[in-house]
Amino acid sequence: MSNRPPVSIVEPASRPAAGPGVRKSSVFLGATLLQTALLGLCLVHARYAGKESRPAVARRAATVRALGLTDLCLFTDAAYTRHLALADGHAPFQEHPACLEHFPAGSLASPPATLGR
Amino acid sequence: MGAWTERQRSILDFALSSLLRRAGKNVALLAVYAAVVFLLASTMFLLSALRREAALVLAGAPDLIVQRLVAGRMDLVPVAYAGRLRGIRGVSSVRPRLWGYHYDPARKATFTLMVPLEGPPQEGTVVLGGAAARLKGTAVGRQIPLQTHAGSTLNLRVAWILSSESELVAADLLLLSETDFRAITGIPTESATDLVLTVPNERERGTVAAKIARELPDTRGVLRADVLRTYDAVFSWRGGMATLLLTGTLFAFVIFAWDRASGLSAQERREIGVLKAVGWETSDIVLLKTWEGAAVSLTAFLAGTLLAYAHVFFASGTLLARVMKGWSVLYPDFRLVPAVDPYQVGTLMVLTVLPYAAATVVPVWRAATVDPDAVMRA
């Protein structure tokens, strides 16, 4: 092993790796840079959209205040998922022992913070 | 510096050629890996957007809600309780709130009936949430029939339909006048669903809730902070939805890592043996395999994250919305505002790229440190 002459693993720059004049590494690095730039644009978009949405969010908050709402209207398949913040203490465990969960949303929504009150 | 860069690029060229020699397997691996990242990133983006929305929008929720419990269940609260609560120091107003559910057997949907705290509709009219209007197939000016608790039908004229931008909070609402609400639900005038208290001083709210619990032991108070905490918990990493979705992706990742860490294929071992036989150092082989792992994991991470962003914020999270919709007949049509920051993207990268890279390098290092003759004969 030790007598073996050192072998250079540096490919000559003139030898193309993928097609005439294009190295595979160039294609990969180009694609990665492009995707990274797009990800950067996503972050810029998120920041911009957050600022743009402020009036609409303020209108939604005003609706909540005027109507006296307590919950988001996300899970409408059961009373305790429609009004998570006001769910009955026992509701996440259903209404009798060993009763199986009826609604998929029940698996998605964790017990409300007011449960222990 | 130039020689170092050229060396890295040459090894990267070699790594990409090596990956392309097993194109079928690696494309499949990349697709599954990107799908795992996509699911993880979609969940993360959706949850953070919903959490932000809930925190901003529900900041307008009532300061304190008092509900009455009878035999462990929520019951109607006597309006007379309001008089007793007004006497508590720190409470500036107490208003009875009227709301409930109304099942429509024809559409198999349950609507939320409500009398707005401010500016209720005129008697004989109704204001509809967006999803409720869509499901009922009605328009402004038309009549909708609602069955009362006594079995008769009450026809209400649609005064207006709430704007689509309010669907996230009001999609299933039917807003009525107090008279119509009581006619439909049969709730007597001396009762309300619950009581809404205004306690201007935020620091006094907990004390007021404790006083109410002593004054009226059959009630419980729900503070605005409780409401916000509930939604923060539901949409947090530890929340039910996140746990459900992340468990799947975690298992997928364990399978990946197991596959890589449990050893290399015979072809990969032979390749390492040949490279060592022609003079490659162990560090070169580890570098080569690191580049291979980095190429796969970085591409999967970037592709999965970009697709997730487009899915959640440009396509309204179509795939996850189906999961969230569950058995709901009424579902809001909403577009989420992105709440993504570099910290989240960095966390996602650490969670998805590093475990794979580590799982790739360790077995390679083990194989690359043994004698090439033994590796090739194995």
Side-chain angles (χ1 to χ4, degrees):
Chain A
M1 286 276 284
S2 57
N3 295 331
R4 191 185 302 136
V7 177
S8 169
I9 58 167
V10 177
E11 293 186 18
S14 58
R15 202 175 87 193
V22 183
R23 290 173 67 172
K24 288 191 180 75
S25 59
S26 302
V27 174
F28 170 74
L29 291 173
T32 304
L33 273 178
L34 179 69
Q35 285 179 305
T36 309
L38 285 174
L39 193 59
L41 276 179
C42 287
L43 291 173
V44 173
H45 172 261
R47 200 175 172 80
Y48 179 74
K51 281 184 185 165
E52 279 281 288
S53 69
R54 276 180 197 162
V57 171
R59 283 194 291 275
R60 275 196 285 278
T63 303
V64 167
R65 197 170 296 114
L67 302 182
L69 302 176
T70 52
D71 288 88
L72 297 186
C73 180
L74 272 178
F75 311 114
T76 58
D77 42 5
Y80 62 87
T81 54
R82 170 64 181 91
H83 290 101
L84 283 167
L86 303 179
D88 287 356
H90 67 275
F93 307 109
Q94 286 293 296
E95 298 189 271
H96 58 80
C99 180
L100 292 174
E101 175 64 274
H102 296 310
F103 299 102
S107 312
L108 302 178
S110 58
T114 50
L115 190 64
R117 296 178 71 87
Chain B
M1 189 65 185
W4 183 87
T5 311
E6 187 53 40
R7 181 169 178 269
Q8 297 297 322
R9 283 197 63 182
S10 296
I11 292 179
L12 178 57
D13 279 331
F14 196 93
L16 294 169
S17 298
S18 174
L19 288 172
L20 288 174
R21 274 199 295 278
R22 299 182 295 272
K25 182 191 167 193
N26 285 315
V27 166
L29 175 74
L30 190 67
V32 175
Y33 194 166
V36 169
V37 176
F38 169 79
L39 189 59
L40 196 65
S42 292
T43 311
M44 192 186 231
F45 293 160
L46 181 78
L47 290 176
S48 65
L50 282 171
R51 194 156 59 156
R52 176 182 177 275
E53 185 75 23
L56 291 173
V57 167
L58 295 176
D63 296 339
L64 177 59
I65 288 169
V66 173
Q67 296 183 318
R68 183 164 176 248
L69 297 176
V70 174
R73 281 178 174 278
M74 203 184 106
D75 202 47
L76 297 176
V77 59
V79 175
Y81 277 17
R84 294 170 69 179
L85 297 178
R86 279 190 196 102
I88 293 175
R89 194 175 171 152
V91 177
S92 68
S93 77
V94 182
R95 289 176 290 178
R97 197 168 68 133
L98 293 165
W99 66 276
Y101 302 111
H102 182 81
Y103 182 64
D104 182 342
R107 293 169 184 84
K108 294 185 170 55
T110 303
F111 301 96
T112 301
L113 299 183
M114 190 166 210
V115 179
L117 287 179
E118 295 168 16
Q122 286 181 343
E123 209 177 309
T125 64
V126 62
V127 175
L128 299 177
R134 276 197 300 277
L135 193 68
K136 283 194 173 285
T138 189
V140 174
R142 285 165 68 175
Q143 302 269 332
I144 59 165
L146 292 172
Q147 193 179 19
T148 68
H149 75 289
S152 57
T153 301
L154 184 67
N155 284 306
L156 298 172
R157 185 176 55 81
V158 179
W160 82 83
I161 294 166
L162 293 171
S163 69
S164 59
E165 70 176 25
S166 69
E167 284 211 18
L168 193 56
V169 290
D172 68 338
L173 292 186
L174 266 63
L175 302 174
L176 312 160
S177 68
E178 183 176 340
T179 311
D180 292 334
F181 178 86
R182 290 190 190 279
I184 291 167
T185 59
I187 294 178
T189 49
E190 64 274 15
S191 297
T193 312
D194 48 31
L195 299 171
V196 170
L197 279 69
T198 306
V199 184
N201 187 346
E202 195 177 338
R203 284 178 296 182
E204 281 185 334
R205 286 175 196 157
T207 315
V208 169
K211 277 185 188 171
I212 292 169
R214 281 197 300 274
E215 181 82 14
L216 300 166
D218 60 341
T219 64
R220 68 164 184 173
V222 180
L223 294 161
R224 183 195 293 154
D226 293 330
V227 172
L228 294 173
R229 249 199 318 274
T230 297
Y231 279 90
D232 195 53
V234 168
F235 300 131
S236 76
W237 280 100
R238 289 167 294 129
M241 188 160 70
T243 310
L244 188 76
L245 290 169
L246 295 184
T247 306
T249 52
L250 187 71
F251 274 110
F253 232 92
V254 168
I255 293 167
F256 265 145
W258 178 262
D259 179 55
R260 302 302 299 175
S262 60
L264 302 169
S265 67
Q267 192 187 356
E268 283 175 302
R269 282 178 178 279
R270 199 160 50 245
E271 184 185 321
I272 289 170
V274 170
L275 289 174
K276 285 207 81 176
V278 297
W280 282 49
E281 298 291 332
T282 300
S283 60
D284 297 331
I285 292 168
V286 171
L287 189 62
L288 169 72
K289 291 295 172 183
T290 305
W291 269 119
E292 277 186 21
V296 170
S297 57
L298 209 59
T299 305
F301 164 74
L302 288 167
T305 308
L306 287 171
L307 285 173
Y309 191 90
H311 166 237
V312 174
F313 300 120
F314 296 125
S316 301
T318 317
L319 298 176
L320 293 179
R322 286 176 192 276
V323 178
M324 287 172 63
K325 194 174 175 184
W327 290 7
S328 307
V329 178
L330 285 157
Y331 190 71
D333 184 10
F334 61 91
R335 180 160 280 195
L336 287 167
V337 180
V340 181
D341 56 39
Y343 171 75
Q344 268 180 316
V345 176
T347 307
L348 192 65
M349 192 171 174
V350 168
L351 281 175
T352 55
V353 173
L354 286 188
Y356 183 81
T360 310
V361 168
V362 173
V364 168
W365 182 79
R366 278 209 318 249
T369 49
V370 298
D371 188 69
D373 183 54
V375 173
M376 280 189 284
R377 282 174 191 277

